[in-house]
Amino acid sequence: MFDTLLIANRGEIACRVMETARKMGIRSVAVFSDADTMSRHVTKADEAHHIGPPPASQSYLDADKVLAAAKASGARAIHPGYGFLSENAAFAEACDAAGIIFVGPPPSAIRAMGEKHAAKALMVESGVPVVPGYHEEDQDDDVLKKAADGIGYPVLIKATSGGGGKGMRRVDSADEFAGALAGARREGKNSFGDDRVLIEKYLEIPRHIEVQVFADNHGNAVYLFERDCSLQRRHQKVIEEAPAPDLSPDIRKAMGEAAVKAALAIGYRGAGTIEFIVDVSNGLADAPFYFMEMNTRLQVEHPVTEMITGVDLVEWQLRVASGEPLPLRQEELSITGHAMEVRIYAENPVKGFLPSTGLLKRLRFPDAGPHVRIDTGVEEGDEVTPYYDPMIAKLIVWDEDRNRALRRLRTALQNTQVVGVKTNTAFLSRIAVNSDFADANLDTGFIERHIAELVPEPGATPVRALAISALAILLERANEAAFSALGNGDPTSPWHQVDGWRMNDDGHDEIKLVDDEEVITIPVRYMPDGYQMTIDDQILKVNGELEAGDHIVANIDGVRIVATVLHDAAGVTVIDAGHVYQIGVYDVLAAAEVDDTSTGGVVAPLPGKVVAVLTEAGISVDKGTPLMIVEAMKMEHTITAPADGLVDEVLFAVGDSVDEGSVLVDFKISEA
Ligand code: ADP
Ligand code: ADP
Ligand code: MG
């Protein structure tokens, strides 16, 4: 076994690989870009090498820089993770040439599966069933159109080099074909530099079931059962589970053996996944399954397989890469219990799942243990940048059966707190409580069919969350007043009272909150035992206490609630029963409460394009000074300084696209 491993990746997968390396007594070497100098994968590694600026093409995808770091660190092997260089045959070859072990299959196997059409042709030869369709080299428009007509609509056009759900177009009738073909070619060209396509029969009610395979250098190959990845949005996986619900042992075996056959056909080595599409339009019992593609790497969703088999797949990868035989034979592998994984993304479901960036002001997960596993590459205080995949974490649960695992999932999601970026956790929670999901009525159309129930309505923060916010503000004021009264001679002075005392008044006040740009005025009356608030025409009796750890114990009309409240310059964040509510505070004083040394980012209010940069790093500006102009939805928006301060760094240039929430300018607020 080699003693030093370079991990040519970042984020959760780099951290996950390091954990196994450490367990095996192998030194971990990380690589990082300028955007990742303080990232978790860097601080976790035994040694870390800087490899360039933030764009992946100049850092994580730059094979020469990665190899140079490997040589400089004395690494004997490179684990590519997933994405980036993991399915790059030329990189695998370059590793070989440099005498460094590429932890993955031989370059020839990567090539054989890299192009979907060639892979399918190979599978046909090896007797593995494929989706009926056209997968020849001839890319003539008429040839393709005739092929589609022959297959019968609907058909699916796929980019030959596609991945991550990109470059696909469903075509429902002959007259839509030409337009869809042009679209798929354009996307293939732009995303993968390859405009070739293949055509498949479009299955209307399919399940995505994939098989984990493993092969070594000694002629052994096994399958580690299947994962059901049917819960998808736009052909991208959202929830994965293992084993596939209701799959019969016979079909499991048939799929497993077909997958092993596919791997052997290309001289495979290491971990790989054969993705099958299963036509469940007539149920699952005798459903036909077809080879879709092979991913020649470790998969994002590999943890569910680890949870049900007890195998550490990364350990197997490292053993096989160093020449050892597979640790277990097929008969020694079995399934125990049920596992589910959800992918927690920094994205905004309410705004079409737009990626969201920003500072992770709070990041808390349920405690890990035999039932819960958290794979993440970020920590509280880290930033989600626009440069890489916006996945924050994978939350994986295990229990003896699917129902119990599902209950674990619900609880785990409720105990997940992410503040600072928008996330899909509420969306995932809604899937987890959906009765069709509980009944395992799965197919790839599930999310689209249920989208109205799964995506929360924008705006309208519940009264309860507004009451908790108002209470938190009132309690904070009370604490502050009590504190300042202590340092003053006369604690009984009316100037230190916070019961709304005013001349000629009887204890009234109001709290102004901002909910999705709407100002909500909450009249408050000070009572001997708390507050009376009027919210949305409801009169509530509210009292409570602020506790350590950002907790608040609130009593609202006799109901005791423990919630989490964070109050900062951005407003109040309430986390109540797993839901995160971001509520603004309409109060000029609040802006002045900003921590003196705080740094901040000026963020894009909506997705758009930078049309002018009006400042530069190192310049001191007054509050309101224009910094940048972003064009979005055909309008220009001037981005101004949020306070007096210093421009630390300008992060975008004219012509760059920005997402909503992207930090445009790093900004340091002046000390008061
Ligand atoms: P999985 O089935 O493991 O989700 P995907 O094909 O969706 O596989 O991709 C896994 C990871 O690789 C994702 O993070 C995705 O963003 C990334 N990825 C997929 N295709 C590419 C590509 N062509 N280039 C770079 N990264 C990619
Ligand atoms: P990618 O390389 O982007 O992962 P795949 O070929 O694996 O592309 O397909 C991604 C997803 O698209 C599948 O998981 C499935 O949901 C859907 N899909 C693929 N082929 C078909 C098909 N023939 N009919 C219906 N849906 C399909
Ligand atoms: Mg796929």
Side-chain angles (χ1 to χ4, degrees):
M1 181 61 64
F2 37 81
D3 55 16
T4 305
L5 173 71
L6 182 137
I7 296 127
N9 216 299
R10 62 178 303 285
E12 67 89 14
I13 193 61
C15 296
R16 189 260 166 274
V17 172
M18 282 175 207
E19 248 150 56
T20 292
R22 179 145 309 151
K23 186 181 84 180
M24 296 172 70
I26 299 171
R27 264 167 50 80
S28 294
V29 178
V31 290
F32 64 97
S33 75
D34 290 331
D36 277 333
T37 48
M38 290 302 285
S39 291
R40 189 161 177 264
H41 81 276
V42 176
T43 53
K44 241 177 112 78
D46 295 306
E47 185 175 318
H49 290 243
H50 174 251
I51 52 164
S57 57
Q58 296 168 53
S59 49
Y60 298 104
L61 279 169
D62 187 328
D64 293 337
K65 286 185 184 160
V66 171
L67 278 168
K71 283 180 198 151
S73 65
R76 292 278 301 110
I78 296 181
H79 193 302
Y82 54 71
F84 296 133
L85 294 167
S86 62
E87 295 180 282
N88 185 319
F91 177 68
E93 264 157 9
C95 288
D96 285 351
I100 292 171
I101 298 168
F102 175 76
V103 181
S108 57
I110 299 178
R111 285 221 167 81
M113 289 298 182
E115 298 181 338
K116 288 184 204 286
H117 70 306
K120 286 184 73 179
L122 193 70
M123 288 305 110
V124 173
E125 265 174 51
S126 318
V128 177
V130 304
V131 187
Y134 174 87
H135 43 261
E136 310 292 323
E137 282 291 349
D138 192 342
Q139 295 287 310
D140 182 78
D141 285 17
D142 290 337
V143 173
L144 292 171
K145 171 71 169 42
K146 279 209 186 74
D149 291 344
I151 295 163
Y153 297 92
V155 300
L156 187 63
I157 306 178
K158 284 187 189 177
T160 289
S161 302
K166 280 208 194 101
M168 284 199 261
R169 288 285 189 286
R170 176 187 165 148
V171 190
D172 286 309
S173 61
D175 54 317
E176 290 171 15
F177 186 82
L181 175 62
R185 277 180 172 158
R186 200 171 47 237
E187 212 165 295
K189 185 89 199 153
N190 287 341
S191 303
F192 313 103
D194 179 0
D195 64 1
R196 290 172 300 163
V197 300
L198 68 151
I199 304 171
E200 286 181 1
K201 175 79 196 156
Y202 185 85
L203 303 181
E204 306 255 18
I205 309 180
R207 266 165 75 174
H208 172 120
I209 300 179
E210 59 185 33
V211 176
Q212 176 71 55
V213 293
F214 233 105
D216 63 17
N217 270 326
H218 307 270
N220 306 307
V222 298
Y223 59 92
L224 291 101
F225 314 105
E226 76 286 355
R227 296 181 285 257
D228 194 314
C229 310
S230 300
L231 265 274
Q232 302 184 347
R233 202 184 67 80
R234 299 210 178 146
H235 307 304
Q236 276 183 288
K237 298 160 189 169
V238 175
I239 299 187
E240 301 100 344
E241 55 184 299
D246 306 320
L247 192 73
S248 73
D250 287 349
I251 301 190
R252 171 168 300 126
K253 187 157 184 281
M255 290 177 85
E257 285 170 358
V260 166
K261 192 169 10 173
L264 290 174
I266 55 163
Y268 203 74
R269 180 188 65 215
T273 295
I274 312 283
E275 296 189 334
F276 290 104
I277 190 155
V278 185
D279 185 351
V280 294
S281 43
N282 295 312
L284 186 61
D286 292 307
F289 60 87
Y290 307 102
F291 169 91
M292 205 158 38
E293 66 164 344
M294 178 169 190
N295 293 323
T296 53
R297 54 169 161 85
L298 192 68
Q299 205 95 336
V300 174
E301 57 275 17
H302 75 278
V304 292
T305 300
E306 299 187 317
M307 298 293 263
I308 61 156
T309 57
V311 168
D312 179 335
L313 293 174
V314 173
E315 181 182 337
W316 279 32
Q317 282 190 298
L318 300 180
R319 290 197 184 289
V320 166
S322 74
E324 292 179 30
L326 289 180
L328 296 175
R329 288 188 311 258
Q330 191 66 55
E331 328 65 274
E332 293 171 311
L333 287 161
S334 61
I335 298 175
T336 306
H338 197 95
M340 292 182 163
E341 171 185 286
V342 294
R343 300 186 184 193
I344 298 176
Y345 281 107
E347 64 183 13
N348 189 354
V350 173
K351 293 208 170 153
F353 293 85
L354 211 75
S356 169
T357 54
L359 188 70
L360 292 165
K361 290 194 245 175
R362 187 180 182 91
L363 183 66
R364 304 286 165 89
F365 296 109
D367 292 335
H371 295 280
V372 178
R373 166 173 166 182
I374 312 292
D375 282 16
T376 185
V378 286
E379 282 164 7
E380 197 164 286
D382 283 356
E383 190 140 347
V384 178
T385 69
Y387 301 111
Y388 314 109
D389 193 296
M391 190 163 75
I392 297 172
K394 304 185 306 204
L395 197 151
I396 306 113
V397 294
W398 177 92
D399 211 320
E400 279 161 38
D401 57 42
R402 188 173 189 270
N403 278 333
R404 286 177 211 202
L406 184 54
R407 282 206 292 274
R408 298 262 177 209
L409 180 64
R410 291 173 189 155
T411 314
L413 279 166
Q414 290 237 322
N415 291 316
T416 298
Q417 303 186 337
V418 190
V419 177
V421 295
K422 301 275 186 214
T423 74
N424 63 341
T425 49
F427 170 75
L428 296 169
S429 288
R430 287 174 178 222
I431 297 176
V433 299
N434 183 285
S435 60
D436 263 353
F437 182 65
D439 293 341
N441 286 329
L442 309 176
D443 66 82
T444 60
F446 182 97
I447 287 179
E448 210 176 290
R449 210 163 43 244
H450 291 281
I451 197 79
E453 310 146 50
L454 299 178
V455 174
E457 288 287 318
T461 300
V463 167
R464 171 162 144 164
L466 294 171
I468 294 172
S469 309
L471 176 65
I473 292 168
L474 290 163
L475 294 174
E476 273 170 22
R477 284 189 194 165
N479 286 351
E480 272 162 29
F483 185 75
S484 65
L486 273 179
N488 182 291
D490 180 13
T492 58
S493 157
W495 303 110
H496 295 304
Q497 262 172 274
V498 280
D499 57 0
W501 177 88
R502 267 178 225 147
M503 224 105 62
N504 308 321
D505 201 340
D506 66 342
H508 284 280
D509 203 342
E510 59 182 32
I511 300 278
K512 284 188 169 186
L513 301 176
V514 185
D515 183 18
D516 202 20
E517 294 184 2
E518 187 196 341
V519 178
I520 298 175
T521 302
I522 302 177
V524 178
R525 211 184 166 126
Y526 293 79
M527 313 293 279
D529 56 349
Y531 309 95
Q532 179 185 296
M533 300 180 186
T534 310
I535 307 178
D536 203 12
D537 294 334
Q538 293 179 47
I539 297 175
L540 307 170
K541 278 193 72 179
V542 183
N543 62 35
E545 259 171 75
L546 295 171
E547 312 248 306
D550 304 319
H551 293 303
I552 186 169
V553 178
N555 188 307
I556 302 177
D557 273 351
V559 179
R560 184 178 184 274
I561 298 157
V562 182
T564 302
V565 176
L566 304 165
H567 185 180
D568 62 16
V572 179
T573 305
V574 175
I575 308 170
D576 179 21
H579 291 273
V580 178
Y581 304 102
Q582 185 67 53
I583 299 153
V585 180
Y586 186 81
D587 184 353
V588 269
L589 290 177
E593 274 172 26
V594 179
D595 183 13
D596 282 349
T597 57
S598 85
T599 55
V602 180
V603 301
L606 64 187
K609 192 176 205 155
V610 176
V611 294
V613 175
L614 308 171
T615 189
E616 58 190 67
I619 290 191
S620 292
V621 293
D622 296 334
K623 179 177 176 173
T625 306
L627 302 177
M628 220 183 243
I629 298 176
V630 173
E631 187 194 75
M633 298 159 134
K634 296 189 182 148
M635 278 176 59
E636 289 195 347
H637 304 264
T638 303
I639 314 297
T640 60
D644 295 354
L646 180 76
V647 174
D648 230 8
E649 196 180 351
V650 177
L651 298 164
F652 288 93
V654 172
D656 288 348
S657 301
V658 295
D659 290 325
E660 182 194 9
S662 295
V663 177
L664 301 172
V665 172
D666 266 339
F667 193 80
K668 219 181 222 112
I669 294 167
S670 300
E671 300 196 8

